Structures are given as C-alpha cells and as structure tokens.
Amino acid sequence: MTDDDLIDHLLYTGEGTTLDYKREGYVTDGPDDVKKSELLKDILAFSNTWRTEPAYILIGFDESEQQFYPVCRHPDDSRLQQFINGKTNKHVVFSYRAVTYKNQALGLYTIEVQERPIYAKKKYGIVEKDVVYVRYGSSTAIADPTQIAKMGALEAIKGATGEPLLSVELFSLEDQKSINSGLSFAYTHQTIDEFPDYTEGTHGYLKLNERLVNRNYYRDMVLYQQEQAESFGFRMNVVNRGTASANTVRVHLCFEPPGALHLKAELEDVPSTDFLPKITSLATLLKPPFEEHIEPDRLTAVFSFGKIHAGESAPSGDIFLITPPTKLTSVQVRIHADELRAPIVLNVPTTIQVTERTLRPED
C-alpha cells in the first residue's frame, strides 16, 4: 500500500478507535509539560484500546473543515521514542514519519497492536500515574477496573499460548542513526569519458609481463569511485518483543520505481594495476544475503532471518543502495512470518538528490 492509498483510506474512514485527525502537530518541545503530555495521553489511549489493526493519528487535516493544513516542522522519531517510553510501564510500539499526500506535507503517527494495559509510571502534565486511558469512539476516557481486568486476562491467555510481536529498525552505516522516519541521500553521479588502456605495471623492481597488467585499471578505478560516491549503506535489525518465537521471518524491501538502482551486500575493493581475477567468496555463493525480484516497475529484496525467539533480535549484514533514483520517494518495508495473519508494513519516506559530473583521465 502506497502512502497515497493509506491516506485515502484514513480520510475515508473517519475518526474512531483506530484514527484521530489533528489540524496541528503536538507540542513536543519547551517547558510546558501540560501541552507535551497531550501526545502521551493519546498514544496511551490508542495503545490500550482493543483492536486488530494499527491505529493512526494524522497530523495536518481538519475533519470539520475538510481542509489540509500542511505541517512545516516534524518532530524527530528517536526523540519521541525516548519521550514516550521513558514514562511508561512497558515499551510502546509506535512511530512518527512525514508523509506527502497530493502535494500536502502531513505527519503520521502509527500505533501498533500490542500488550496491554500501558500506563504512565509517574504523573506527567495531564496524564495521571497508573491510570489506564482508552479510546471511546473519537474521544479519550479512563478505563474502569473491569476493562483493565479483561486486558490482563487477554494478555494472560496470549502469554500462555504465546504471540510474537515483530518490528524492524533501519540504521544508517554512516552515523548509526535510525532512518525509519526518513532516508535522505545526496550524491554526484559520475559518467565516464573515454579512458586509455593502462599499459605499464610494476611488481617490486620487475616490470610485469603485459599479460599480467590490468589494462582496465583506469576504467576500474572510475567504477570504484562511482560506487563509493553513489552508495547509501544501512543495516536492519528485526526485534521480537512478543511472548513467543516467530518462525520463517522474512523482510521485503520494495523500491518503486527502481530506475538504475541495484543492491549489494559489499562494495568493490580498490582496483589493482595487476591483473587479478575477481573471486566471489564461498560464503556468499552458498548463502546469498538476500534474494532479488526484479519487475519493470519494482525491485524487491527479500531477507530471510529464520526463527527469532521472544525477546531476541536478528541483525542483517550491510546493505548498499547503489545509484537510487530521484523518483524514489519511499521504501516499503514488509515483515512476514508464519504466525502473522498479514504482513507488518512500514513506509520509509526517501529524499534523493543527484548531480551530474563527467570524469576525464586528468581527474
């Protein structure tokens, strides 16, 4: 499902137990704890409400006016995670990201289905200590003891039978920061001018036989520089915060449109003036890091993580996006497992900027 499809669905659905609209974003900075606690209260209410699908808070839309109010400033997802989860009795699985819908800049909170009840460990602003907030229709209320008991009973049943709770984090290799809320990459695409053959090489004090000289050295060096400059590196970490193992866990990364994009698990080594045939490692030949499915308008990479036990995580190896196109505005991440009735879907917005440069021999 694309962002446009998702927002279409949310606008058609209307406010309720799985959706709220906000004309303006929440206050997340400054000294006013009362204003900042409004976000905490709403996240808690959606987290505690019984549902079978994710809940959303759409920022930048007024339902009564049926008007958009573009979001000018987006909060940092990692700071939101610290703000919310530093105050609750258990980890809250939610995320925030910027989305674009019909040229309108909006914001979207996604609150996953998760263990309940969740409450604040201390009073904060309008949020009371140990109070369980729930969503009733389009408003927030306090759960009564009977409701809380039912939450505990349901979680006890789940705990007895076991249920996995999967999520995925994407981290940039450059600074190890999460890119779940957005991937931004600018690079220079270097085209190749005509290069001569490399004809001389030395090994120690002996001149190499011409058959042992890498005639393509100059061209190989340009390709090496291209790959270094035009690659974005990241890793994935799949976490199971549930109470049971997840089997046959797979993560699909979908790129649409792919353009000239291709994925690699490792970058090429610096080329040599010697003629050295490239040898693929035995480990890579026996177990490729991912499978590629190429279609005219989509490239999908499938990563297999096998079994992930409750409370454990599984990291991927390095992943490099080579020459991503400017038309790539989001990366869809889908988590599949035997125990999931439907895949868990995350859309990572992307911003790609490309400049052109022609490399000549004198460069």
Side-chain angles (χ1 to χ4, degrees):
M1 180 184 293
T2 65
D3 281 348
D4 280 355
D5 293 336
L6 175 59
I7 303 302
D8 276 336
H9 171 72
L10 297 182
L11 294 176
Y12 176 80
T13 301
E15 290 186 340
T17 55
T18 61
L19 176 62
D20 194 10
Y21 304 123
K22 296 290 183 183
R23 174 171 169 169
E24 298 178 352
Y26 292 92
V27 175
T28 57
D29 296 315
D32 194 334
D33 290 349
V34 172
K35 290 184 178 180
K36 291 193 293 185
S37 64
E38 292 177 2
L39 172 61
L40 174 61
K41 185 177 180 180
D42 285 349
I43 292 288
L44 289 174
F46 277 114
S47 300
N48 287 316
T49 301
W50 187 90
R51 50 197 168 81
T52 58
E53 58 183 336
Y56 300 95
I57 304 174
L58 180 63
I59 308 298
F61 179 72
D62 188 302
E63 185 179 33
S64 61
E65 298 179 6
Q66 290 293 299
Q67 291 288 332
F68 291 105
Y69 291 86
V71 179
C72 299
R73 180 173 174 268
H74 296 282
D76 180 70
D77 182 72
S78 61
R79 294 182 63 185
L80 291 176
Q81 298 292 334
Q82 294 175 356
F83 171 70
I84 298 294
N85 287 302
K87 298 173 175 59
T88 54
N89 65 313
K90 62 180 67 175
H91 186 86
V92 184
V93 184
F94 79 100
S95 63
Y96 175 87
R97 63 188 181 89
V99 295
T100 301
Y101 175 76
K102 296 182 178 178
N103 297 320
Q104 302 289 338
L106 307 174
L108 186 67
Y109 288 88
T110 304
I111 304 98
E112 303 292 348
V113 177
Q114 52 205 291
E115 292 183 6
R116 306 171 298 157
I118 304 175
Y119 48 84
K121 296 179 290 185
K122 296 181 180 179
K123 177 177 172 56
Y124 183 79
I126 61 174
V127 176
E128 299 293 335
K129 174 185 176 182
D130 297 337
V131 170
V132 177
Y133 296 96
V134 292
R135 184 88 172 169
Y136 282 134
S138 59
S139 62
T140 296
I142 297 175
D144 60 40
T146 302
Q147 289 176 302
I148 298 173
K150 287 181 179 179
M151 292 181 195
L154 287 171
E155 294 308 323
I157 293 172
K158 290 180 182 178
T161 58
E163 183 179 44
L165 183 60
L166 298 172
S167 61
V168 63
E169 280 286 341
L170 282 69
F171 299 93
S172 166
L173 289 182
E174 183 178 7
D175 53 18
Q176 299 302 307
K177 291 184 178 180
S178 172
I179 57 173
N180 279 37
S181 59
L183 184 163
S184 181
F185 181 48
Y187 67 92
T188 300
H189 177 59
Q190 303 179 117
T191 55
I192 306 173
D193 204 348
E194 186 173 343
F195 279 70
D197 286 348
Y198 181 82
T199 56
E200 293 183 357
T202 59
H203 190 278
Y205 295 101
L206 299 176
K207 185 174 181 179
L208 289 174
N209 184 297
E210 285 193 358
R211 289 176 298 177
L212 300 179
V213 171
N214 179 13
R215 294 179 177 275
N216 291 317
Y217 171 71
Y218 293 131
R219 290 179 285 274
D220 288 346
M221 181 58 76
V222 171
L223 293 174
Y224 166 78
Q225 292 175 351
Q226 274 184 320
E227 190 174 78
Q228 292 291 319
E230 302 174 16
S231 63
F232 180 86
F234 66 99
R235 283 188 176 185
M236 289 187 293
N237 191 41
V238 184
V239 183
N240 182 1
R241 296 189 176 92
T243 55
S245 298
N247 294 283
T248 322
V249 178
R250 303 171 308 285
V251 175
H252 294 211
L253 299 183
C254 303
F255 305 89
E256 181 181 345
L261 168 73
H262 60 284
L263 274 65
K264 298 184 71 172
E266 58 182 348
L267 301 180
E268 297 290 339
D269 293 330
V270 179
S272 171
T273 55
D274 297 351
F275 176 73
L276 298 172
K278 297 179 181 178
I279 302 175
T280 305
S281 68
L282 181 61
T284 301
L285 287 172
L286 294 177
K287 188 179 180 181
F290 55 85
E291 299 176 17
E292 277 190 318
H293 302 282
I294 302 174
E295 303 172 36
D297 59 347
R298 172 178 290 196
L299 168 64
T300 303
V302 181
F303 298 78
S304 297
F305 292 89
K307 184 175 185 177
I308 304 179
H309 294 280
E312 294 187 352
S313 62
S316 73
D318 294 348
I319 309 164
F320 295 94
L321 306 183
I322 314 294
T323 61
T326 56
K327 291 184 178 180
L328 182 67
T329 58
S330 69
V331 178
Q332 186 184 81
V333 183
R334 299 201 310 267
I335 309 174
H336 298 256
D338 291 346
E339 292 75 13
L340 297 178
R341 287 173 292 179
I344 299 170
V345 179
L346 166 69
N347 286 295
V348 178
T350 64
T351 302
I352 308 296
Q353 296 179 331
V354 183
T355 55
E356 300 286 342
R357 179 192 177 198
T358 301
L359 280 179
R360 297 177 176 80
E362 57 267 25
D363 296 328

PDB file of all heavy atoms in Angstrom, residues 212-242:
ATOM      1  N   LEU A 212      49.956  -9.734 -17.568  1.00  0.00           N
ATOM      2  CA  LEU A 212      49.621  -9.660 -16.154  1.00  0.00           C
ATOM      3  C   LEU A 212      49.247  -8.260 -15.711  1.00  0.00           C
ATOM      4  O   LEU A 212      49.057  -7.999 -14.533  1.00  0.00           O
ATOM      5  CB  LEU A 212      50.803 -10.157 -15.310  1.00  0.00           C
ATOM      6  CG  LEU A 212      51.241 -11.599 -15.570  1.00  0.00           C
ATOM      7  CD1 LEU A 212      52.421 -11.948 -14.696  1.00  0.00           C
ATOM      8  CD2 LEU A 212      50.089 -12.561 -15.320  1.00  0.00           C
ATOM      9  N   VAL A 213      49.151  -7.335 -16.676  1.00  0.00           N
ATOM     10  CA  VAL A 213      48.776  -5.962 -16.372  1.00  0.00           C
ATOM     11  C   VAL A 213      47.271  -5.801 -16.556  1.00  0.00           C
ATOM     12  O   VAL A 213      46.695  -6.297 -17.519  1.00  0.00           O
ATOM     13  CB  VAL A 213      49.536  -4.975 -17.283  1.00  0.00           C
ATOM     14  CG1 VAL A 213      48.989  -3.561 -17.120  1.00  0.00           C
ATOM     15  CG2 VAL A 213      51.017  -5.001 -16.968  1.00  0.00           C
ATOM     16  N   ASN A 214      46.647  -5.111 -15.623  1.00  0.00           N
ATOM     17  CA  ASN A 214      45.213  -4.828 -15.717  1.00  0.00           C
ATOM     18  C   ASN A 214      45.001  -3.656 -16.660  1.00  0.00           C
ATOM     19  O   ASN A 214      45.107  -2.498 -16.278  1.00  0.00           O
ATOM     20  CB  ASN A 214      44.650  -4.520 -14.328  1.00  0.00           C
ATOM     21  CG  ASN A 214      43.165  -4.183 -14.378  1.00  0.00           C
ATOM     22  OD1 ASN A 214      42.491  -4.392 -15.386  1.00  0.00           O
ATOM     23  ND2 ASN A 214      42.660  -3.660 -13.269  1.00  0.00           N
ATOM     24  N   ARG A 215      44.727  -3.947 -17.924  1.00  0.00           N
ATOM     25  CA  ARG A 215      44.545  -2.893 -18.920  1.00  0.00           C
ATOM     26  C   ARG A 215      43.350  -1.995 -18.582  1.00  0.00           C
ATOM     27  O   ARG A 215      43.292  -0.840 -19.009  1.00  0.00           O
ATOM     28  CB  ARG A 215      44.352  -3.515 -20.312  1.00  0.00           C
ATOM     29  CG  ARG A 215      45.585  -4.243 -20.840  1.00  0.00           C
ATOM     30  CD  ARG A 215      45.297  -4.841 -22.217  1.00  0.00           C
ATOM     31  NE  ARG A 215      46.475  -5.471 -22.760  1.00  0.00           N
ATOM     32  CZ  ARG A 215      47.437  -4.844 -23.432  1.00  0.00           C
ATOM     33  NH1 ARG A 215      47.330  -3.536 -23.628  1.00  0.00           N
ATOM     34  NH2 ARG A 215      48.483  -5.490 -23.900  1.00  0.00           N
ATOM     35  N   ASN A 216      42.400  -2.505 -17.814  1.00  0.00           N
ATOM     36  CA  ASN A 216      41.201  -1.737 -17.470  1.00  0.00           C
ATOM     37  C   ASN A 216      41.351  -0.972 -16.160  1.00  0.00           C
ATOM     38  O   ASN A 216      40.358  -0.508 -15.597  1.00  0.00           O
ATOM     39  CB  ASN A 216      39.989  -2.667 -17.363  1.00  0.00           C
ATOM     40  CG  ASN A 216      39.580  -3.242 -18.703  1.00  0.00           C
ATOM     41  OD1 ASN A 216      39.547  -2.525 -19.695  1.00  0.00           O
ATOM     42  ND2 ASN A 216      39.284  -4.526 -18.721  1.00  0.00           N
ATOM     43  N   TYR A 217      42.589  -0.827 -15.670  1.00  0.00           N
ATOM     44  CA  TYR A 217      42.798  -0.228 -14.359  1.00  0.00           C
ATOM     45  C   TYR A 217      42.141   1.148 -14.233  1.00  0.00           C
ATOM     46  O   TYR A 217      41.443   1.425 -13.255  1.00  0.00           O
ATOM     47  CB  TYR A 217      44.292  -0.128 -14.052  1.00  0.00           C
ATOM     48  CG  TYR A 217      44.583   0.681 -12.810  1.00  0.00           C
ATOM     49  CD1 TYR A 217      44.267   0.189 -11.553  1.00  0.00           C
ATOM     50  CD2 TYR A 217      45.153   1.957 -12.899  1.00  0.00           C
ATOM     51  CE1 TYR A 217      44.510   0.934 -10.410  1.00  0.00           C
ATOM     52  CE2 TYR A 217      45.402   2.706 -11.764  1.00  0.00           C
ATOM     53  CZ  TYR A 217      45.078   2.192 -10.523  1.00  0.00           C
ATOM     54  OH  TYR A 217      45.310   2.932  -9.407  1.00  0.00           O
ATOM     55  N   TYR A 218      42.353   2.033 -15.215  1.00  0.00           N
ATOM     56  CA  TYR A 218      41.782   3.377 -15.140  1.00  0.00           C
ATOM     57  C   TYR A 218      40.254   3.314 -15.111  1.00  0.00           C
ATOM     58  O   TYR A 218      39.593   3.999 -14.329  1.00  0.00           O
ATOM     59  CB  TYR A 218      42.235   4.230 -16.325  1.00  0.00           C
ATOM     60  CG  TYR A 218      43.710   4.551 -16.342  1.00  0.00           C
ATOM     61  CD1 TYR A 218      44.467   4.363 -17.492  1.00  0.00           C
ATOM     62  CD2 TYR A 218      44.348   5.056 -15.209  1.00  0.00           C
ATOM     63  CE1 TYR A 218      45.826   4.665 -17.520  1.00  0.00           C
ATOM     64  CE2 TYR A 218      45.695   5.348 -15.223  1.00  0.00           C
ATOM     65  CZ  TYR A 218      46.441   5.150 -16.375  1.00  0.00           C
ATOM     66  OH  TYR A 218      47.779   5.443 -16.392  1.00  0.00           O
ATOM     67  N   ARG A 219      39.705   2.481 -15.974  1.00  0.00           N
ATOM     68  CA  ARG A 219      38.244   2.362 -16.011  1.00  0.00           C
ATOM     69  C   ARG A 219      37.714   1.716 -14.727  1.00  0.00           C
ATOM     70  O   ARG A 219      36.662   2.119 -14.196  1.00  0.00           O
ATOM     71  CB  ARG A 219      37.837   1.551 -17.246  1.00  0.00           C
ATOM     72  CG  ARG A 219      38.069   2.311 -18.564  1.00  0.00           C
ATOM     73  CD  ARG A 219      37.678   1.491 -19.768  1.00  0.00           C
ATOM     74  NE  ARG A 219      38.645   0.451 -20.080  1.00  0.00           N
ATOM     75  CZ  ARG A 219      39.736   0.632 -20.848  1.00  0.00           C
ATOM     76  NH1 ARG A 219      39.989   1.831 -21.361  1.00  0.00           N
ATOM     77  NH2 ARG A 219      40.561  -0.361 -21.100  1.00  0.00           N
ATOM     78  N   ASP A 220      38.445   0.720 -14.222  1.00  0.00           N
ATOM     79  CA  ASP A 220      38.035   0.091 -12.958  1.00  0.00           C
ATOM     80  C   ASP A 220      38.075   1.082 -11.802  1.00  0.00           C
ATOM     81  O   ASP A 220      37.219   1.059 -10.914  1.00  0.00           O
ATOM     82  CB  ASP A 220      38.942  -1.096 -12.631  1.00  0.00           C
ATOM     83  CG  ASP A 220      38.708  -2.291 -13.537  1.00  0.00           C
ATOM     84  OD1 ASP A 220      37.682  -2.298 -14.232  1.00  0.00           O
ATOM     85  OD2 ASP A 220      39.545  -3.213 -13.533  1.00  0.00           O
ATOM     86  N   MET A 221      39.072   1.970 -11.814  1.00  0.00           N
ATOM     87  CA  MET A 221      39.179   2.956 -10.747  1.00  0.00           C
ATOM     88  C   MET A 221      38.000   3.937 -10.786  1.00  0.00           C
ATOM     89  O   MET A 221      37.458   4.330  -9.747  1.00  0.00           O
ATOM     90  CB  MET A 221      40.494   3.716 -10.864  1.00  0.00           C
ATOM     91  CG  MET A 221      40.700   4.770  -9.768  1.00  0.00           C
ATOM     92  SD  MET A 221      40.649   4.089  -8.088  1.00  0.00           S
ATOM     93  CE  MET A 221      42.271   3.297  -8.030  1.00  0.00           C
ATOM     94  N   VAL A 222      37.578   4.313 -11.995  1.00  0.00           N
ATOM     95  CA  VAL A 222      36.426   5.195 -12.128  1.00  0.00           C
ATOM     96  C   VAL A 222      35.163   4.500 -11.601  1.00  0.00           C
ATOM     97  O   VAL A 222      34.369   5.090 -10.869  1.00  0.00           O
ATOM     98  CB  VAL A 222      36.234   5.622 -13.589  1.00  0.00           C
ATOM     99  CG1 VAL A 222      34.907   6.354 -13.760  1.00  0.00           C
ATOM    100  CG2 VAL A 222      37.378   6.521 -14.031  1.00  0.00           C
ATOM    101  N   LEU A 223      34.990   3.231 -11.960  1.00  0.00           N
ATOM    102  CA  LEU A 223      33.824   2.485 -11.488  1.00  0.00           C
ATOM    103  C   LEU A 223      33.854   2.344  -9.965  1.00  0.00           C
ATOM    104  O   LEU A 223      32.812   2.422  -9.302  1.00  0.00           O
ATOM    105  CB  LEU A 223      33.781   1.106 -12.151  1.00  0.00           C
ATOM    106  CG  LEU A 223      33.523   1.109 -13.660  1.00  0.00           C
ATOM    107  CD1 LEU A 223      33.654  -0.298 -14.229  1.00  0.00           C
ATOM    108  CD2 LEU A 223      32.133   1.673 -13.963  1.00  0.00           C
ATOM    109  N   TYR A 224      35.049   2.144  -9.428  1.00  0.00           N
ATOM    110  CA  TYR A 224      35.199   2.061  -7.975  1.00  0.00           C
ATOM    111  C   TYR A 224      34.792   3.385  -7.315  1.00  0.00           C
ATOM    112  O   TYR A 224      34.042   3.402  -6.325  1.00  0.00           O
ATOM    113  CB  TYR A 224      36.644   1.710  -7.624  1.00  0.00           C
ATOM    114  CG  TYR A 224      37.000   1.908  -6.175  1.00  0.00           C
ATOM    115  CD1 TYR A 224      36.611   0.981  -5.210  1.00  0.00           C
ATOM    116  CD2 TYR A 224      37.716   3.031  -5.761  1.00  0.00           C
ATOM    117  CE1 TYR A 224      36.933   1.157  -3.863  1.00  0.00           C
ATOM    118  CE2 TYR A 224      38.038   3.221  -4.416  1.00  0.00           C
ATOM    119  CZ  TYR A 224      37.637   2.296  -3.479  1.00  0.00           C
ATOM    120  OH  TYR A 224      37.959   2.483  -2.154  1.00  0.00           O
ATOM    121  N   GLN A 225      35.273   4.509  -7.870  1.00  0.00           N
ATOM    122  CA  GLN A 225      34.917   5.818  -7.321  1.00  0.00           C
ATOM    123  C   GLN A 225      33.420   6.089  -7.466  1.00  0.00           C
ATOM    124  O   GLN A 225      32.800   6.682  -6.576  1.00  0.00           O
ATOM    125  CB  GLN A 225      35.733   6.908  -8.026  1.00  0.00           C
ATOM    126  CG  GLN A 225      37.225   6.861  -7.714  1.00  0.00           C
ATOM    127  CD  GLN A 225      38.010   7.878  -8.513  1.00  0.00           C
ATOM    128  OE1 GLN A 225      37.483   8.510  -9.416  1.00  0.00           O
ATOM    129  NE2 GLN A 225      39.280   8.030  -8.179  1.00  0.00           N
ATOM    130  N   GLN A 226      32.855   5.649  -8.586  1.00  0.00           N
ATOM    131  CA  GLN A 226      31.414   5.787  -8.780  1.00  0.00           C
ATOM    132  C   GLN A 226      30.656   5.091  -7.653  1.00  0.00           C
ATOM    133  O   GLN A 226      29.770   5.672  -7.022  1.00  0.00           O
ATOM    134  CB  GLN A 226      30.990   5.162 -10.109  1.00  0.00           C
ATOM    135  CG  GLN A 226      31.099   6.070 -11.310  1.00  0.00           C
ATOM    136  CD  GLN A 226      30.552   5.376 -12.539  1.00  0.00           C
ATOM    137  OE1 GLN A 226      30.760   4.178 -12.746  1.00  0.00           O
ATOM    138  NE2 GLN A 226      29.830   6.110 -13.352  1.00  0.00           N
ATOM    139  N   GLU A 227      31.007   3.850  -7.412  1.00  0.00           N
ATOM    140  CA  GLU A 227      30.287   3.054  -6.418  1.00  0.00           C
ATOM    141  C   GLU A 227      30.429   3.644  -5.023  1.00  0.00           C
ATOM    142  O   GLU A 227      29.472   3.684  -4.247  1.00  0.00           O
ATOM    143  CB  GLU A 227      30.791   1.614  -6.439  1.00  0.00           C
ATOM    144  CG  GLU A 227      29.954   0.675  -5.612  1.00  0.00           C
ATOM    145  CD  GLU A 227      30.397  -0.763  -5.765  1.00  0.00           C
ATOM    146  OE1 GLU A 227      31.424  -1.124  -5.139  1.00  0.00           O
ATOM    147  OE2 GLU A 227      29.726  -1.530  -6.476  1.00  0.00           O
ATOM    148  N   GLN A 228      31.633   4.114  -4.685  1.00  0.00           N
ATOM    149  CA  GLN A 228      31.850   4.711  -3.370  1.00  0.00           C
ATOM    150  C   GLN A 228      30.992   5.959  -3.172  1.00  0.00           C
ATOM    151  O   GLN A 228      30.442   6.188  -2.090  1.00  0.00           O
ATOM    152  CB  GLN A 228      33.334   5.060  -3.196  1.00  0.00           C
ATOM    153  CG  GLN A 228      34.271   3.865  -3.113  1.00  0.00           C
ATOM    154  CD  GLN A 228      34.089   3.064  -1.832  1.00  0.00           C
ATOM    155  OE1 GLN A 228      33.911   3.620  -0.764  1.00  0.00           O
ATOM    156  NE2 GLN A 228      34.148   1.752  -1.956  1.00  0.00           N
ATOM    157  N   ALA A 229      30.903   6.778  -4.218  1.00  0.00           N
ATOM    158  CA  ALA A 229      30.199   8.055  -4.105  1.00  0.00           C
ATOM    159  C   ALA A 229      28.687   7.902  -4.191  1.00  0.00           C
ATOM    160  O   ALA A 229      27.952   8.726  -3.644  1.00  0.00           O
ATOM    161  CB  ALA A 229      30.676   9.005  -5.201  1.00  0.00           C
ATOM    162  N   GLU A 230      28.224   6.840  -4.869  1.00  0.00           N
ATOM    163  CA  GLU A 230      26.805   6.728  -5.186  1.00  0.00           C
ATOM    164  C   GLU A 230      26.090   5.663  -4.373  1.00  0.00           C
ATOM    165  O   GLU A 230      25.009   5.215  -4.740  1.00  0.00           O
ATOM    166  CB  GLU A 230      26.648   6.451  -6.684  1.00  0.00           C
ATOM    167  CG  GLU A 230      27.276   7.537  -7.551  1.00  0.00           C
ATOM    168  CD  GLU A 230      27.261   7.215  -9.036  1.00  0.00           C
ATOM    169  OE1 GLU A 230      26.503   6.309  -9.428  1.00  0.00           O
ATOM    170  OE2 GLU A 230      27.999   7.869  -9.793  1.00  0.00           O
ATOM    171  N   SER A 231      26.682   5.239  -3.271  1.00  0.00           N
ATOM    172  CA  SER A 231      26.075   4.172  -2.468  1.00  0.00           C
ATOM    173  C   SER A 231      25.657   4.684  -1.097  1.00  0.00           C
ATOM    174  O   SER A 231      26.377   5.457  -0.456  1.00  0.00           O
ATOM    175  CB  SER A 231      27.061   3.009  -2.305  1.00  0.00           C
ATOM    176  OG  SER A 231      28.216   3.424  -1.602  1.00  0.00           O
ATOM    177  N   PHE A 232      24.482   4.251  -0.671  1.00  0.00           N
ATOM    178  CA  PHE A 232      23.986   4.544   0.679  1.00  0.00           C
ATOM    179  C   PHE A 232      23.941   3.236   1.447  1.00  0.00           C
ATOM    180  O   PHE A 232      23.254   2.284   1.048  1.00  0.00           O
ATOM    181  CB  PHE A 232      22.597   5.175   0.622  1.00  0.00           C
ATOM    182  CG  PHE A 232      22.032   5.489   1.988  1.00  0.00           C
ATOM    183  CD1 PHE A 232      22.334   6.695   2.608  1.00  0.00           C
ATOM    184  CD2 PHE A 232      21.234   4.568   2.659  1.00  0.00           C
ATOM    185  CE1 PHE A 232      21.833   6.987   3.866  1.00  0.00           C
ATOM    186  CE2 PHE A 232      20.730   4.846   3.915  1.00  0.00           C
ATOM    187  CZ  PHE A 232      21.039   6.063   4.522  1.00  0.00           C
ATOM    188  N   GLY A 233      24.665   3.168   2.567  1.00  0.00           N
ATOM    189  CA  GLY A 233      24.756   1.941   3.342  1.00  0.00           C
ATOM    190  C   GLY A 233      23.894   1.967   4.591  1.00  0.00           C
ATOM    191  O   GLY A 233      23.809   2.979   5.282  1.00  0.00           O
ATOM    192  N   PHE A 234      23.252   0.838   4.880  1.00  0.00           N
ATOM    193  CA  PHE A 234      22.437   0.735   6.097  1.00  0.00           C
ATOM    194  C   PHE A 234      22.354  -0.727   6.531  1.00  0.00           C
ATOM    195  O   PHE A 234      22.807  -1.638   5.838  1.00  0.00           O
ATOM    196  CB  PHE A 234      21.045   1.308   5.872  1.00  0.00           C
ATOM    197  CG  PHE A 234      20.191   0.539   4.892  1.00  0.00           C
ATOM    198  CD1 PHE A 234      19.235  -0.367   5.329  1.00  0.00           C
ATOM    199  CD2 PHE A 234      20.342   0.727   3.524  1.00  0.00           C
ATOM    200  CE1 PHE A 234      18.450  -1.066   4.430  1.00  0.00           C
ATOM    201  CE2 PHE A 234      19.564   0.033   2.612  1.00  0.00           C
ATOM    202  CZ  PHE A 234      18.612  -0.863   3.070  1.00  0.00           C
ATOM    203  N   ARG A 235      21.796  -0.923   7.704  1.00  0.00           N
ATOM    204  CA  ARG A 235      21.531  -2.268   8.229  1.00  0.00           C
ATOM    205  C   ARG A 235      20.112  -2.331   8.770  1.00  0.00           C
ATOM    206  O   ARG A 235      19.512  -1.299   9.075  1.00  0.00           O
ATOM    207  CB  ARG A 235      22.512  -2.626   9.349  1.00  0.00           C
ATOM    208  CG  ARG A 235      23.898  -3.025   8.860  1.00  0.00           C
ATOM    209  CD  ARG A 235      24.739  -3.541  10.015  1.00  0.00           C
ATOM    210  NE  ARG A 235      26.026  -4.022   9.560  1.00  0.00           N
ATOM    211  CZ  ARG A 235      26.913  -4.615  10.352  1.00  0.00           C
ATOM    212  NH1 ARG A 235      26.648  -4.762  11.644  1.00  0.00           N
ATOM    213  NH2 ARG A 235      28.060  -5.041   9.854  1.00  0.00           N
ATOM    214  N   MET A 236      19.614  -3.558   8.931  1.00  0.00           N
ATOM    215  CA  MET A 236      18.317  -3.774   9.552  1.00  0.00           C
ATOM    216  C   MET A 236      18.494  -4.575  10.837  1.00  0.00           C
ATOM    217  O   MET A 236      19.426  -5.370  10.960  1.00  0.00           O
ATOM    218  CB  MET A 236      17.395  -4.566   8.622  1.00  0.00           C
ATOM    219  CG  MET A 236      16.903  -3.818   7.422  1.00  0.00           C
ATOM    220  SD  MET A 236      15.665  -4.786   6.510  1.00  0.00           S
ATOM    221  CE  MET A 236      16.673  -6.130   5.890  1.00  0.00           C
ATOM    222  N   ASN A 237      17.577  -4.367  11.765  1.00  0.00           N
ATOM    223  CA  ASN A 237      17.536  -5.167  12.979  1.00  0.00           C
ATOM    224  C   ASN A 237      16.077  -5.521  13.243  1.00  0.00           C
ATOM    225  O   ASN A 237      15.252  -4.631  13.454  1.00  0.00           O
ATOM    226  CB  ASN A 237      18.119  -4.398  14.170  1.00  0.00           C
ATOM    227  CG  ASN A 237      18.337  -5.290  15.371  1.00  0.00           C
ATOM    228  OD1 ASN A 237      18.787  -6.424  15.233  1.00  0.00           O
ATOM    229  ND2 ASN A 237      18.019  -4.806  16.552  1.00  0.00           N
ATOM    230  N   VAL A 238      15.754  -6.812  13.202  1.00  0.00           N
ATOM    231  CA  VAL A 238      14.387  -7.270  13.428  1.00  0.00           C
ATOM    232  C   VAL A 238      14.271  -7.697  14.886  1.00  0.00           C
ATOM    233  O   VAL A 238      15.056  -8.526  15.363  1.00  0.00           O
ATOM    234  CB  VAL A 238      14.012  -8.431  12.489  1.00  0.00           C
ATOM    235  CG1 VAL A 238      12.546  -8.821  12.692  1.00  0.00           C
ATOM    236  CG2 VAL A 238      14.258  -8.054  11.039  1.00  0.00           C
ATOM    237  N   VAL A 239      13.297  -7.132  15.598  1.00  0.00           N
ATOM    238  CA  VAL A 239      13.137  -7.371  17.035  1.00  0.00           C
ATOM    239  C   VAL A 239      11.815  -8.080  17.293  1.00  0.00           C
ATOM    240  O   VAL A 239      10.783  -7.723  16.715  1.00  0.00           O
ATOM    241  CB  VAL A 239      13.170  -6.036  17.820  1.00  0.00           C
ATOM    242  CG1 VAL A 239      13.074  -6.290  19.317  1.00  0.00           C
ATOM    243  CG2 VAL A 239      14.437  -5.259  17.486  1.00  0.00           C
ATOM    244  N   ASN A 240      11.853  -9.080  18.164  1.00  0.00           N
ATOM    245  CA  ASN A 240      10.639  -9.765  18.602  1.00  0.00           C
ATOM    246  C   ASN A 240      10.387  -9.423  20.065  1.00  0.00           C
ATOM    247  O   ASN A 240      11.039  -9.950  20.962  1.00  0.00           O
ATOM    248  CB  ASN A 240      10.785 -11.275  18.422  1.00  0.00           C
ATOM    249  CG  ASN A 240       9.513 -12.023  18.821  1.00  0.00           C
ATOM    250  OD1 ASN A 240       8.521 -11.424  19.211  1.00  0.00           O
ATOM    251  ND2 ASN A 240       9.560 -13.344  18.735  1.00  0.00           N
ATOM    252  N   ARG A 241       9.463  -8.505  20.323  1.00  0.00           N
ATOM    253  CA  ARG A 241       9.127  -8.099  21.688  1.00  0.00           C
ATOM    254  C   ARG A 241       7.929  -8.871  22.222  1.00  0.00           C
ATOM    255  O   ARG A 241       7.355  -8.510  23.256  1.00  0.00           O
ATOM    256  CB  ARG A 241       8.838  -6.592  21.732  1.00  0.00           C
ATOM    257  CG  ARG A 241      10.035  -5.714  21.383  1.00  0.00           C
ATOM    258  CD  ARG A 241       9.732  -4.245  21.657  1.00  0.00           C
ATOM    259  NE  ARG A 241      10.893  -3.420  21.404  1.00  0.00           N
ATOM    260  CZ  ARG A 241      11.178  -2.827  20.246  1.00  0.00           C
ATOM    261  NH1 ARG A 241      10.359  -3.008  19.213  1.00  0.00           N
ATOM    262  NH2 ARG A 241      12.249  -2.085  20.093  1.00  0.00           N
ATOM    263  N   GLY A 242       7.538  -9.939  21.545  1.00  0.00           N
ATOM    264  CA  GLY A 242       6.385 -10.718  21.970  1.00  0.00           C
ATOM    265  C   GLY A 242       6.724 -11.773  22.997  1.00  0.00           C
ATOM    266  O   GLY A 242       7.798 -11.770  23.612  1.00  0.00           O
TER     267      GLY A 242
END
